[in-house]
């Protein structure tokens, strides 16, 4: 009996050591790295045949700093019909994409990490060197996103996200995160709850001043309900309410500083309007730091990473109850339609992405899915029967953003994989496939190129075969 206990202890120590030193870069691992496989999968999508419905022209996409919100299902259906009539032109240059993966060991600790950037400067993708201990990089000069600069300046941005990166070898404009920024809002709310400054079961009276169309009018809801609607349905009204609530507590500076202190400096929400929680364009997220935020939410034991200033970051940056609530809310995601496409089960277009099970809360007795006002016409039960993984995630889309970030876990008996995946790209609803079929009347439309689903499937296959 004593010998068995010693064996178990040695195994645990070995696993802990591996988690503290994840295989991060090709020249350190000495084999065909995860990062190189990710780069090949991205390059294989051949984005040059995507159609741009608003090709470069003076004012075609307007200023890069204009408002950007997820449109309502009704607005999206209307736009989809207009898009079918628009001819567009082939994409004039390589899109900007920031893709990151953190492979997790059986205990939820980082085993390996990969980050690849794609842009007109790096048309075949570039592997980002990642520090093992910090799961971080200082080799990228991140620039704020601007639609016009991408169109007219060869994809090059002009405003730095972080100071002191002027000599970094990789120069990259970070795509606007769209509704994935709601992960930052969620983190801020739960940090305040852990501090005793917010009660998730209390009512929040949202009284916007001035009223902003995208944020809706006055409302009173439980904070927990706002949180759920913000994540699972991507409801802008609830997001504005929570952003305003954080403003009410004068806490946004502290939330942003916490991202810096925890070694995720590219995560920031700035410039929103305190009186109504609107105007989100001052938000930035890199793929690598977003993956780390999800790693924290997922919460493995021990030290997850160590910051450049020596802070050891653990799952205890959020309480167990906060992490559980965050995980459960992400697991209830209703919009499974980018890296995964399970809401459109059985359609020939788009192709199947990550083979995810659709959360039962959205499935009607006939097997179709309805998420708020978003109606999907496919019976998803056949796909659920053969689903291989859960995908606790958040999607985001605007005209020049397609984004998805989440935690993938395989079902028992399926090929084992356990990983975090993040993809940010500027190919939003302005960019479509040339051979896209028309969406059925009244049905939530396919918003963007199916290459995202192809990439999701390719990534899942890579992780399955590691």
């Amino acid at each position: 009996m004593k010998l068995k206990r010693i064996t178990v202890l040695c195994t645990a120590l070995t696993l802990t050591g591996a988690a503290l030193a994840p295989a991060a870069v090709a020249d350190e691992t000495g084999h065909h790295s995860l990062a190189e496989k990710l780069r090949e999968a991205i390059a294989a999508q051949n984005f040059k045949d995507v159609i741009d419905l608003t090709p470069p022209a003076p004012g075609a996409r307007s200023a890069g700093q204009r408002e950007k919100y997820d449109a309502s299902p009704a607005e999206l259906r209307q736009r989809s019909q207009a898009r079918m009539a628009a001819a567009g032109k082939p994409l004039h240059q390589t899109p900007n994409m920031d893709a990151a993966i953190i492979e997790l060991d059986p205990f939820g600790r980082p085993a390996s990490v990969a980050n690849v950037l794609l842009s007109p400067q790096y048309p075949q993708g570039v592997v980002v060197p990642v520090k093992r201990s910090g799961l971080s990089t200082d080799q990228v000069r991140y620039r704020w996103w601007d639609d016009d600069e991408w169109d007219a300046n060869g994809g090059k941005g002009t405003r730095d996200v972080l100071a002191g990166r002027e000599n970094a070898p990789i120069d990259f404009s970070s795509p606007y995160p769209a509704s994935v920024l709601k992960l930052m809002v969620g983190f801020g709310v739960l940090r305040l709850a852990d501090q005793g400054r917010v009660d998730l079961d209390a009512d929040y009276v949202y009284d916007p001043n001035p009223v902003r169309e995208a944020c809706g009018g006055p409302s009173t809801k439980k904070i927990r309900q706002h949180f759920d609607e913000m994540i699972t349905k991507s409801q802008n009204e609830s997001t504005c309410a929570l952003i305003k609530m954080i403003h009410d507590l004068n806490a946004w500076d502290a939330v942003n500083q916490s991202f810096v202190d925890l070694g995720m400096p590219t995560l920031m929400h700035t410039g929103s309007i305190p009186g109504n929680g609107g105007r989100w364009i001052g938000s930035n997220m890199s793929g690598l730091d977003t993956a780390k935020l999800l790693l924290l939410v997922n919460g493995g034991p021990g030290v997850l990473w160590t910051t450049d200033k020596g802070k050891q970051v653990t799952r205890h940056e959020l309480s167990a109850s906060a992490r559980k609530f965050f995980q459960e809310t992400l697991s209830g995601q209703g919009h499974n339609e980018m890296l995964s496409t399970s809401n459109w089960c059985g359609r020939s277009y788009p192709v199947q992405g990550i083979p995810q099970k659709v959360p039962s809360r959205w499935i009607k007795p006939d097997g179709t899915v309805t998420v708020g006002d978003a109606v999907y016409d496919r019976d998803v039960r056949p796909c659920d029967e053969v689903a291989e993984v859960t995908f606790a995630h958040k999607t985001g889309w605007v005209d020049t953003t397609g984004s998805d970030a989440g935690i993938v876990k395989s079902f028992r008996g399926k090929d084992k994989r356990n990983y975090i995946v993040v993809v940010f790209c500027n190919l939003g609803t302005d960019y479509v496939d040339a051979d896209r079929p028309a969406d059925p009347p009244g049905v939530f439309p396919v918003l963007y190129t199916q290459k995202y689903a192809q990439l999701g499937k390719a990534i899942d296959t890579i992780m399955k075969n590691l």
Side-chain angles (χ1 to χ4, degrees):
M1 188 70 176
K2 185 180 293 184
L3 179 61
K4 183 177 180 180
R5 290 181 62 191
I6 293 173
T7 302
V8 171
L9 177 61
C10 290
T11 302
L13 288 172
T14 302
L15 288 168
T16 302
L20 292 176
V25 247
D27 59 357
E28 292 180 345
T29 61
H31 66 280
H32 195 57
S33 72
L34 173 60
E36 179 58 22
K37 292 176 182 177
L38 176 59
R39 188 201 64 76
E40 290 175 353
I42 292 171
Q45 300 313 312
N46 193 27
F47 289 103
K48 67 181 181 181
D49 58 7
V50 171
I51 300 299
D52 185 348
L53 297 178
T54 55
R61 265 184 273 269
S62 186
Q65 289 301 300
R66 62 189 171 83
E67 293 279 13
K68 289 180 179 286
Y69 300 101
D70 293 359
S72 70
E75 291 173 312
L76 288 167
R77 286 193 295 269
Q78 185 177 10
R79 291 183 192 177
S80 177
Q81 294 171 358
R83 293 204 316 266
M84 289 304 300
K89 295 181 179 179
L91 197 63
H92 72 286
Q93 62 185 3
T94 304
N96 276 40
M97 177 178 285
D98 184 348
I101 299 172
I102 297 178
E103 179 194 9
L104 304 174
D105 72 10
F107 300 96
R109 298 172 298 200
S112 61
V113 60
N115 187 201
V116 173
L117 304 178
L118 184 77
S119 75
Q121 288 72 50
Y122 314 106
Q124 295 301 310
V126 59
V127 171
V128 175
V130 178
K131 298 178 184 178
R132 289 174 180 266
S133 61
L135 304 178
S136 61
T137 185
D138 57 8
Q139 299 298 297
V140 181
R141 183 178 186 180
Y142 293 103
R143 311 291 194 123
W144 283 95
W145 184 258
D146 186 290
D147 292 337
D148 291 340
E149 287 181 342
W150 185 82
D151 274 336
N153 197 38
K156 297 178 181 178
T158 58
R159 295 187 303 130
D160 287 303
V161 173
L162 302 174
R165 296 286 185 93
E166 293 79 10
N167 295 320
I170 302 172
D171 197 321
F172 180 74
S173 290
S174 294
Y176 176 64
S179 279
V180 175
L181 67 85
K182 295 169 186 177
L183 295 179
M184 296 192 291
V185 181
F187 174 83
V189 170
L190 293 179
R191 287 276 280 197
L192 291 169
D194 283 345
Q195 294 164 10
R197 301 179 67 188
V198 165
D199 179 357
L200 295 179
D201 293 310
D203 285 336
Y204 178 66
V205 179
Y206 176 61
D207 187 15
N209 182 23
V211 172
R212 200 171 189 83
E213 182 180 0
C215 295
S219 67
T220 300
K221 295 180 182 179
K222 302 293 185 188
I223 294 171
R224 187 181 298 274
Q225 181 180 350
H226 278 308
F227 195 109
D228 180 83
E229 292 172 349
M230 173 180 71
I231 298 296
T232 64
K233 297 195 292 185
S234 205
Q235 192 159 300
N236 293 334
E237 294 85 350
S238 288
T239 309
C240 289
L242 293 179
I243 290 173
K244 182 181 183 300
M245 184 189 73
I246 297 174
H247 275 299
D248 293 347
L249 296 170
N250 296 314
W252 268 116
D253 286 347
V255 171
N256 285 324
Q257 186 60 47
S258 69
F259 293 134
V260 175
D261 294 342
L262 294 173
M264 300 178 286
T266 67
L267 303 187
M268 60 186 75
H269 174 83
T270 64
S272 55
I273 300 171
N276 55 38
R279 194 175 64 201
W280 306 341
I281 197 66
S283 296
N284 186 82
M285 307 176 80
S286 71
L288 190 58
D289 283 351
T290 303
K292 290 165 68 176
L293 178 60
L294 289 168
L295 175 63
L296 180 60
V297 171
N298 187 62
V303 177
L304 299 175
W305 70 84
T306 302
T307 71
D308 290 343
K309 292 188 176 181
K311 177 178 175 58
Q312 294 184 326
V313 179
T314 72
R315 62 185 175 184
H316 301 300
E317 297 298 335
L318 287 175
S319 67
S321 60
R323 286 186 289 102
K324 182 174 185 289
F325 176 52
F326 213 156
Q327 292 167 18
E328 289 175 347
T329 310
L330 288 168
S331 295
Q333 176 59 242
H335 291 286
N336 307 297
E337 59 210 21
M338 186 181 158
L339 295 180
S340 64
T341 50
S342 303
N343 284 13
W344 290 305
C345 175
R347 275 201 197 178
S348 59
Y349 181 97
V351 298
Q352 184 188 48
I354 295 172
Q356 170 207 351
K357 184 179 178 67
V358 176
S360 60
R361 64 183 284 188
W362 308 114
I363 303 175
K364 299 172 69 175
D366 64 357
T368 62
V369 170
T370 298
V371 183
D373 295 331
V375 176
Y376 303 82
D377 65 338
R378 305 297 300 187
D379 184 347
V380 302
R381 290 172 295 185
C383 292
D384 274 4
E385 290 177 2
V386 296
E388 299 179 32
V389 301
T390 59
F391 188 21
H393 65 127
K394 182 72 196 77
T395 55
W397 60 83
V398 292
D399 53 354
T400 57
T401 299
S403 55
D404 205 349
I407 305 162
V408 177
K409 296 182 179 181
S410 56
F411 292 116
R412 182 173 297 179
K414 302 295 183 181
D415 291 317
K416 186 67 179 175
R417 60 265 207 204
N418 188 11
Y419 64 94
I420 293 164
V421 59
V422 179
V423 173
F424 294 123
C425 186
N426 68 298
L427 298 186
T429 59
D430 274 357
Y431 304 89
V432 298
D433 295 316
D435 55 353
R436 69 196 186 284
D439 292 294
V443 172
F444 194 77
V446 179
L447 296 176
Y448 29 54
T449 171
Q450 68 173 349
K451 292 180 185 294
Y452 286 131
Q454 292 172 182
L455 178 59
K457 181 66 172 178
I459 288 171
D460 191 64
T461 299
I462 289 169
M463 304 309 293
K464 184 190 302 187
N465 294 328
L466 282 181

